[in-house]
Amino acid sequence: MTVSATSSASTATTTTSSSSTSSSSTLTSSDFLSLLVSELQNQDPLNATSTTDLINQLTSYANFSSQQSINSNLSSLAGSFSSLVTLNSVNYIGHTVEAKTDTSTLSNGSATFGYTLSSAASNVSISVKDSSGSTVWTGTGTGNAGSNSFTWDGKDSSGNQLSDGGQYTISVTATDSTGNSVLNYTTVTGTVTGIDTSTSTPSLTVNGVSVSAANIIGVTS
């Protein structure tokens, strides 16, 4: 009698487990409950599940169900937040913003960049590179603590005027009297002309360059 009951429970459990595994590799709330009910239906009457084990299993089921509900709510909240971020990003179009980035498009023969220093610098070196990474200009800049501005006239180191439309990247090295770097970050200022929402974080087009909305640090007009 004992052997028969044990065999039945083992067979039922194996069948349920195989069915669950073949139907889905992910355990759902329904699967979890079905396994628990199957265990109760097919348990050995001479060795029934203890009250403590049953309570632990019921607690596990309750926690599992709650976690699924939380995950679902978080996904919904993330979707709503993403829509809100996109809507807010649209409001930037047509406005002049300052953004943390190091690339700008040469327009009307010049490009203006900014850089922020944590303290006054005794030496500030600036280089400008084209889209292929080649250095086209090098020089020096102001070393005031806080915000500094640099306008490049669009000419290379030989004095040749470069064509509008190209994208150029600024590189700043700023050190204090002891040789320690005091550079915080570089910026560009320009008008937002478009928005790209194809990624989780919308990107704005500033001076012809894609800039993450999260890098916008100010709106000037």
Side-chain angles (χ1 to χ4, degrees):
M1 181 65 178
T2 302
V3 174
S4 176
T6 303
S7 176
S8 174
S10 176
T11 301
T13 302
T14 302
T15 302
T16 303
S17 177
S18 298
S19 175
S20 175
T21 302
S22 62
S23 62
S24 174
S25 59
T26 303
L27 186 66
T28 66
S29 178
S30 179
D31 294 333
F32 196 108
L33 186 58
S34 294
L35 288 172
L36 182 60
V37 171
S38 294
E39 179 185 0
L40 294 176
Q41 291 177 333
N42 297 284
Q43 63 182 322
D44 183 353
L46 300 181
N47 185 27
T49 302
S50 69
T51 302
T52 300
D53 288 341
L54 181 59
I55 291 176
N56 288 337
Q57 291 173 350
L58 288 174
T59 301
S60 296
Y61 170 71
N63 291 338
F64 179 80
S65 181
S66 296
Q67 186 62 52
Q68 283 193 318
S69 177
I70 291 174
N71 290 341
S72 177
N73 290 336
L74 286 177
S75 296
S76 177
L77 182 60
S80 298
F81 180 73
S82 178
S83 298
L84 180 60
V85 170
T86 299
L87 180 61
N88 287 337
S89 297
V90 171
N91 293 329
Y92 283 119
I93 294 179
H95 291 280
T96 300
V97 301
E98 183 180 13
K100 289 182 179 180
T101 186
D102 56 5
T103 303
S104 185
T105 301
L106 186 63
S107 177
N108 296 322
S110 67
T112 299
F113 301 89
Y115 54 93
T116 301
L117 307 180
S118 58
S119 61
S122 58
N123 179 53
V124 177
S125 299
I126 299 176
S127 63
V128 178
K129 297 180 179 181
D130 60 20
S131 57
S132 64
S134 300
T135 300
V136 297
W137 183 90
T138 57
T140 60
T142 57
N144 302 319
S147 299
N148 292 263
S149 179
F150 166 71
T151 298
W152 175 51
D153 61 8
K155 295 180 180 180
D156 62 18
S157 296
S158 299
N160 300 311
Q161 182 66 50
L162 302 178
S163 301
D164 286 349
Q167 292 187 354
Y168 295 88
T169 301
I170 187 177
S171 177
V172 179
T173 300
T175 56
D176 59 19
S177 58
T178 61
N180 294 318
S181 175
V182 292
L183 176 67
N184 283 337
Y185 52 80
T186 57
T187 64
V188 298
T189 299
T191 302
V192 178
T193 57
I195 179 174
D196 180 7
T197 60
S198 61
T199 59
S200 57
T201 302
S203 296
L204 307 177
T205 302
V206 182
N207 288 351
V209 177
S210 180
V211 178
S212 171
N215 288 336
I216 302 298
I217 60 175
V219 179
T220 58
S221 65

